[in-house]
Amino acid sequence: MATPHAESPDLSGRRVLICRPEPEASRLARSFIDAGAEARVLSLLERTPLPETPERRTLILNLDQFTHVIAVSPYAARLLLDELDAWWPQLPTGIRWYAVGAATAKVLTDHGLSVRQPAEGWTSEALLALPSLARVSGERVLLARGEDGRELIRETLEARGAQVTPLALYRRSQPDHSADTINQLFGQFAPEAIVTLSGETLNNLIALCANSGHNLYDRLLIVPADRVAEQARVAGFEHPCIPGSLADNDIVATVAAQLNGRDGGSE
């Protein structure tokens, strides 16, 4: 359920821990601080661009052979566009461009591309429901993403008969945080709400809780989708909550609504 937009969410004195990668984490922290919250950042996912390979360069140079190009995240979209700018002064016509989520779509549209995205939702499942991806037998799809990750898009489109080529642009890893940092944030700061916007981020949080002995399972946990909410419940989190969208203002509004006892987001 979508979160009602408050004129100005009041989070005065509330403590929020943001576990997103940078620079998104600091940007979201500023939005929480503007709403009166005490916000801290503990990035639990690092992204490192992969070096160019001859195989990847060949894929980029053969861009015009693809019918569909899908970017799974804003970071993937930015790295893809950087590569395309180096080799394609003018992009070929006739390609259908897709984005998983509004933030990813914005990266592509800001580059002048016409982008297809789900009217509602920001998940791979929502993207795969688009009519233009329903009948893709024999068509070529370029999938811009990280080195590892969910295989749902690739597997589903291949099952529909498409020829899917993953284009790995970056590697994800877990940052190494000191025990003092973890104890300060989990123990002394004691967040009332935690923002984890991917399944991998949540897994890293669960591992840190187990290894450090801190119990955060009764805190409000902001997650991106039903799949991750269920993952959180299985791990023992009592209050997973999905915001109305993954835009910063919707995340802030959802946390305010939940912590202040109003109806917001969906559990």
Side-chain angles (χ1 to χ4, degrees), residues 22-262:
E22 292 290 7
E24 292 91 338
S26 292
R27 186 193 68 213
L28 180 57
R30 287 193 294 271
S31 295
F32 273 109
I33 291 168
D34 288 344
E38 296 180 47
R40 301 286 187 276
V41 168
L42 181 72
S43 294
L44 294 183
L45 202 61
E46 243 173 30
R47 301 169 301 200
T48 307
L50 291 169
E52 186 186 60
T53 63
E55 294 78 13
R56 196 169 87 191
R57 187 182 312 122
T58 298
L59 282 178
I60 294 296
L61 290 173
N62 291 334
L63 181 70
D64 56 346
Q65 297 180 15
F66 291 90
T67 305
H68 312 271
V69 176
I70 300 171
V72 304
S73 68
Y75 191 64
R78 287 193 292 269
L79 292 178
L80 174 63
L81 292 175
D82 286 346
E83 297 235 3
L84 294 179
D85 283 345
W87 296 103
W88 287 91
Q90 183 172 346
L91 290 174
T93 59
I95 296 175
R96 296 176 178 179
W97 299 85
Y98 299 84
V100 179
T104 306
K106 186 176 187 305
V107 174
L108 297 175
T109 55
D110 285 351
H111 201 74
L113 296 170
S114 176
V115 182
R116 300 172 188 228
Q117 65 179 108
E120 294 184 3
W122 50 87
T123 63
S124 298
E125 289 84 350
L127 181 83
L128 289 165
L130 289 173
S132 56
L133 290 175
R135 294 177 178 84
V136 290
S137 182
E139 297 178 350
R140 296 193 65 187
V141 180
L142 187 65
L143 182 59
R145 64 180 199 178
E147 189 175 45
D148 299 302
R150 293 184 76 197
E151 295 289 350
L152 180 69
I153 294 177
R154 181 183 64 80
E155 291 173 351
T156 301
L157 293 180
E158 286 181 346
R160 294 174 184 175
Q163 301 174 40
V164 182
T165 303
L167 177 63
L169 294 168
Y170 58 97
R171 175 175 293 127
R172 290 184 293 270
S173 60
Q174 182 175 359
D176 186 18
H177 297 291
S178 70
D180 285 345
T181 296
I182 299 302
N183 288 330
Q184 195 280 323
L185 290 174
F186 287 4
Q188 298 172 37
F189 180 63
E192 298 169 86
I194 306 170
V195 179
T196 59
L197 295 185
S198 75
E200 189 171 355
T201 301
L202 176 59
N203 282 334
N204 291 343
L205 175 66
I206 293 167
L208 278 182
C209 286
N211 293 335
S212 65
H214 288 285
N215 183 349
L216 302 178
Y217 294 98
D218 60 346
R219 315 302 162 88
L220 174 65
L221 185 74
I222 301 299
V223 296
D226 289 333
R227 171 183 60 87
V228 185
E230 181 57 25
Q231 177 182 338
R233 292 187 192 97
V234 169
F237 284 92
E238 300 170 16
H239 306 292
C241 180
I242 304 166
S245 85
L246 299 188
D248 291 353
N249 61 331
D250 272 331
I251 294 171
V252 172
T254 296
V255 171
Q258 292 289 321
L259 291 184
N260 293 333
R262 297 191 300 271

